[in-house]
Amino acid sequence: MKRQLLKIMPAYSWVLLTIIVSVNYLTYFGTRTFTTGLKHYSIAGSLDRNLPFVPFFILFYVLAYAQWIIGFVLIGRGGYKVALTMFIGELIAKGIALACFILFPTTMEGLRPGVESLRGGGVWCELTAWVYSMDAPDNLFPSIHCLESWVCFRGALRLKKVPGWYVYAMLVMTLLVFASTVLVKQHVLIDIVGGVAVVEIGLFISGRLLLKRFVKEGT
């Protein structure tokens, strides 16, 4: 079993991914221990209120999980420098998101349709209703969905042993995930900006201020 796992990714990538999954759980679910009773803020703008609800886009919202699996595995296989830079950058971004969730809790209440109103509206409405029932309208800024998809795209840009179409496929999928977050009323536009921003901050810190001490150029 161990040998098979190491064929997929080296040991250091498995260790980092295990930490990432644990931190993700703490960030998204653990923070609710502190924030459930706090005042939540809506940061929706007029454009958010006027964007249509398009249940078909729940498809891309759900497919994001497949994108992350593929993207993170390929990053993990991309070499020591790429994996360490991207995964530590992701952890830094997730740490910033955790702080935002606690210090500035946000909500989507009042902007997305009720679960019962979606029942019987077709497969996409039913799938959206299921996502709503599983995912409370909080812990929104920055968007974890957008954060993870942006990590996958930024990682694709650094990979040397992937076909050229893979980078474009990751970009298109990332943009579709961004669109899905607002078109199925899971997020507002500023949440997308926040997701991208924290990743860029995380990658800046991991690439320029931390890892240059430990990773030789060209490795």
Side-chain angles (χ1 to χ4, degrees), residues 37-202:
L38 298 179
K39 176 179 173 58
H40 285 61
Y41 300 89
S42 173
I43 52 176
S46 58
L47 182 55
D48 294 299
R49 296 186 182 90
N50 289 311
L51 283 174
F53 170 64
V54 186
F56 169 73
F57 270 80
I58 198 65
L59 172 65
F60 303 111
Y61 191 85
V62 173
L63 284 177
Y65 293 95
Q67 179 197 22
W68 304 341
I69 293 171
I70 295 168
F72 277 58
V73 167
L74 288 180
I75 289 170
R77 293 167 59 93
Y80 184 67
K81 181 177 180 180
V82 169
L84 226 58
T85 303
M86 294 304 304
F87 288 158
I88 291 181
E90 197 273 355
L91 285 169
I92 294 170
K94 198 66 64 59
I96 299 171
L98 186 152
C100 290
F101 291 168
I102 294 175
L103 298 175
F104 186 63
T106 53
T107 182
M108 280 290 290
E109 285 186 359
L111 288 179
R112 69 185 197 180
V115 171
E116 292 306 318
S117 70
L118 296 172
R119 300 298 185 189
V123 62
W124 307 121
C125 285
E126 292 287 352
L127 183 56
T128 303
W130 177 79
V131 170
Y132 283 4
S133 67
M134 298 287 290
D135 191 11
D138 56 14
N139 281 356
L140 303 176
F141 178 84
S143 165
I144 297 296
H145 248 69
C146 296
L147 184 161
E148 304 291 27
S149 289
W150 191 249
V151 167
C152 289
F153 168 63
R154 294 287 273 114
L157 293 174
R158 298 178 182 226
L159 297 176
K160 297 178 180 179
K161 296 182 180 180
V162 295
W165 60 261
Y166 175 77
V167 176
Y168 294 105
M170 273 292 164
L171 175 59
V172 170
M173 185 60 192
T174 296
L175 294 176
L176 288 170
V177 171
F178 285 6
S180 76
T181 63
V182 292
L183 293 178
V184 297
K185 304 300 179 180
Q186 282 288 83
H187 285 279
V188 295
L189 291 166
I190 193 65
D191 297 335
I192 300 175
V193 177
V196 172
V198 295
V199 170
E200 293 302 321
I201 292 169

